[in-house]
C-alpha cells in the first residue's frame, strides 16, 4: 500500500516522518485537534499508525513499527479516541451472567435508518460500489484485527475465537477465505480489489470503524471490548448480509457475484451463537472484571456503525457521493 495523502496537520506530520529515510527521525508533533471520533485528519493518522502492524506501506521502513516516539504519538491518538468513545457511550455495570442477554439487547436495538434495507430495495449499482469501497478498508483484511486477541485468551473462549476465525479464513481454502470472496465481489462491481487501494477515498467515519477494532484488539487491556465487538459483528450479520445479497440480485448480479454476502448469511447464523455464548459469555465467566468492557465493545461498534450508516444514507439522500475525495472536490 502507498502512503495515503495527508488530510491535515496530524496526518501530515506522521506521513512525512514515515517517508523519511533512514527511519526514526522525529520532531515535536503538532497538538492533537479535531474530533477524535470521526475527524478525517485524526482518523487517518491513527489508521496509518496502526497499519504498520498490519501490512505496512511501500517504501516505509519496517523498523517504524516499534519506534518508541511513534508508539507514544499513537498512544496519544488512541487514548483520545478511547476517551471520546467513553464520553458518548454510557457504561453500565454488567453482572457476569448477564453478558449474553445484554449483547442480544444491543443487537436488537435499532440504532437508526438501515443501510442494508436501503441497499436491498433502492440502492443503485453506483451506491453499491461506494458501499463496497468503504467496506474494503476492513473486508480485504477480514478477521485480522480480532486475530490479535487469540494469544490473549485461554481455554473455552480461545477455542471459540479460533473456531470463528478459522471459518473467516476459509478453513485453509483460499477460495473460501472471506477477504478473498470480498475481492471477488469488488471485481464483479468493477472496482479495484487491491488491499488499501481506497484509503484515500474514504472519510474518517469509515476509518473509525477499523480503528475501533485495532484499538480494542491491539491493547490487551481491551480484550473484553474486542470480543464484545466481534460478538456483535457476528450477531448482527445474517440479516443485513441477506439484504445486501438480495439487493445485488435485484440489480442483475449473479449468485456467484453475491457469494461473499450469501456465505455470511450461513456462516454467521452459526458464528452468532458461538460468539455470544462460547466466546463472550464464557470470557466473562473466566474473567468477570471484563464483563462491562465486553458489552462496551458491542455498544461502541453499534455507535460507530450508526454514524457510518447515517453518513452514507444522508449523502445519497442529497444526491451526493459518500466518498471522501468526492466530498472534498465539491466543497
Ligand atoms: Fe466473515
Ligand atoms: Fe463470521
Amino acid at each position: 500500500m502507498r502512503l495515503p495523502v495527508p488530510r491535515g496537520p496530524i496526518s501530515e506530520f506522521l506521513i512525512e516522518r514515515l517517508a523519511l529515510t533512514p527511519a526514526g527521525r522525529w520532531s515535536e508533533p503538532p497538538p492533537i485537534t479535531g474530533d477524535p471520533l470521526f475527524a478525517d485528519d485524526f482518523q487517518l493518522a491513527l489508521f496509518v499508525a496502526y497499519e504498520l502492524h498490519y501490512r505496512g506501506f511501500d517504501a516505509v521502513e519496517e523498523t517504524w513499527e516499534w519506534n518508541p516516539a511513534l508508539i507514544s504519538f499513537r498512544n496519544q491518538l488512541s487514548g483520545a479516541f478511547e476517551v471520546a468513545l467513553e464520553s458518548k457511550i454510557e457504561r453500565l455495570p454488567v453482572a457476569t451472567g448477564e453478558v449474553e442477554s445484554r449483547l442480544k439487547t444491543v443487537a436488537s436495538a435499532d440504532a437508526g435508518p438501515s443501510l442494508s434495507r436501503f441497499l436491498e430495495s433502492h440502492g443503485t449499482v453506483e451506491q453499491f460500489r461506494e458501499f463496497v469501497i468503504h467496506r474494503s478498508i476492513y473486508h480485504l483484511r477480514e478477521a485480522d484485527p480480532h486475530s490479535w486477541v487469540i494469544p490473549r485468551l485461554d481455554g473455552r473462549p480461545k477455542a471459540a475465537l479460533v473456531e470463528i476465525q478459522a471459518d473467516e479464513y476459509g478453513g485453509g481454502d483460499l477460495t473460501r477465505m472471506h477477504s478473498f470472496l470480498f475481492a471477488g465481489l469488488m471485481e464483479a462491481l468493477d472496482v479495484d480489489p487491491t488491499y488499501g487501494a481506497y484509503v484515500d477515498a474514504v472519510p474518517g467515519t469509515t476509518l473509525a470503524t477499523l480503528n475501533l477494532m485495532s484499538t480494542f484488539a491491539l491493547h490487551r487491556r481491551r480484550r473484553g471490548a474486542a470480543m464484545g465487538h466481534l460478538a456483535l459483528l457476528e450477531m448482527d450479520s445474517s440479516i443485513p448480509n441477506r439484504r445486501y445479497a438480495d439487493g445485488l440480485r435485484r440489480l442483475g448480479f449473479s449468485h456467484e457475484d453475491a457469494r461473499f454476502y450469501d456465505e455470511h448469511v450461513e456462516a454467521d447464523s452459526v458464528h452468532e451463537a458461538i460468539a455470544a455464548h462460547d466466546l463472550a459469555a464464557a470470557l466473562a465467566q473466566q474473567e468477570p472484571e471484563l464483563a462491562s468492557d465486553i458489552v462496551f465493545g458491542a455498544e461502541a461498534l453499534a455507535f460507530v456503525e450508526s454514524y457510518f450508516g447515517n453518513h452514507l444514507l444522508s449523502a445519497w439522500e442529497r444526491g451526493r457521493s459518500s466518498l471522501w475525495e468526492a466530498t472534498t472536490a465539491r466543497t
Side-chain angles (χ1 to χ4, degrees):
M1 189 194 319
R2 282 186 326 231
L3 275 170
V5 176
R7 299 187 189 181
I10 310 173
S11 55
E12 186 173 37
F13 169 81
L14 181 58
I15 290 165
E16 276 179 0
R17 299 278 122 14
L18 292 176
L20 295 174
T21 313
R25 271 187 285 159
W26 198 255
S27 58
E28 190 58 37
I32 293 173
T33 52
D35 172 16
L37 287 171
F38 302 113
D40 293 305
D41 184 33
F42 182 97
Q43 287 295 329
L44 182 65
L46 188 54
F47 169 89
V48 168
Y50 280 140
E51 189 59 30
L52 299 166
H53 289 307
Y54 291 94
R55 300 193 208 173
F57 299 96
D58 304 342
V60 168
E61 287 189 28
E62 295 184 335
T63 51
W64 273 115
E65 183 185 1
W66 292 107
N67 177 280
L70 187 146
I71 296 285
S72 152
F73 180 58
R74 193 195 70 200
N75 282 343
Q76 282 181 52
L77 297 172
S78 64
F81 186 42
E82 287 182 276
V83 167
L85 286 167
E86 295 280 350
S87 75
K88 295 282 180 190
I89 300 160
E90 198 183 358
R91 186 189 276 278
L92 298 167
V94 179
T96 309
E98 230 178 37
V99 163
E100 195 171 344
S101 65
R102 293 285 291 275
L103 290 173
K104 284 181 180 153
T105 307
V106 182
S108 59
D110 205 21
S114 165
L115 195 54
S116 61
R117 260 190 219 109
F118 177 84
L119 283 168
E120 177 187 28
S121 42
H122 304 292
T124 62
V125 174
E126 198 43 50
Q127 287 165 337
F128 253 104
R129 277 195 193 111
E130 282 188 23
F131 173 64
V132 159
I133 284 172
H134 286 285
R135 288 300 197 202
S136 69
I137 304 300
Y138 169 62
H139 285 314
L140 289 174
R141 73 179 82 201
E142 186 162 328
D144 288 348
H146 300 104
S147 293
W148 299 119
V149 183
I150 295 172
R152 297 169 177 192
L153 301 185
D154 192 23
R156 250 178 86 206
K158 185 183 191 121
L161 176 57
V162 170
E163 184 178 359
I164 293 170
Q165 298 301 88
D167 276 351
E168 304 292 337
Y169 292 119
D173 176 353
L174 171 66
T175 64
R176 291 180 46 237
M177 196 174 348
H178 291 183
S179 54
F180 182 88
L181 294 176
F182 194 78
L185 168 66
M186 294 186 82
E187 274 171 19
L189 281 162
D190 221 9
V191 290
D192 187 353
T194 311
Y195 180 95
Y198 290 110
V199 172
D200 283 327
V202 300
T205 335
T206 304
L207 296 173
T209 62
L210 179 66
N211 286 336
L212 182 71
M213 297 184 223
S214 302
T215 297
F216 289 160
L218 282 165
H219 292 92
R220 194 173 69 84
R221 63 185 163 77
R222 298 311 298 265
R223 63 196 177 283
M227 295 299 92
H229 180 286
L230 177 62
L232 187 67
L233 203 63
E234 300 293 349
M235 294 164 83
D236 203 10
S237 169
S238 283
I239 295 170
N241 280 308
R242 185 186 44 72
R243 292 187 186 135
Y244 298 137
D246 288 347
L248 282 174
R249 283 191 275 270
R250 174 180 57 79
L251 292 165
F253 287 88
S254 68
H255 276 278
E256 189 51 35
D257 295 335
R259 195 170 149 212
F260 172 83
Y261 295 123
D262 286 332
E263 280 280 328
H264 279 87
V265 175
E266 211 172 302
D268 290 345
S269 59
V270 180
H271 290 172
E272 152 171 25
I274 303 172
H277 187 74
D278 303 335
L279 175 52
L283 180 60
Q285 291 293 340
Q286 205 179 52
E287 298 191 76
E289 67 283 6
L290 298 183
S292 159
D293 217 30
I294 294 172
V295 176
F296 183 88
E299 299 265 19
L301 169 61
F303 176 75
V304 297
E305 280 298 315
S306 77
Y307 264 78
F308 174 80
N310 281 332
H311 169 76
L312 271 68
L313 290 172
S314 68
W316 293 342
E317 223 164 73
R318 286 176 285 139
R320 290 180 155 208
S321 163
S322 61
L323 296 175
W324 191 76
E325 284 174 326
T327 312
T328 48
R330 285 197 184 94
T331 49

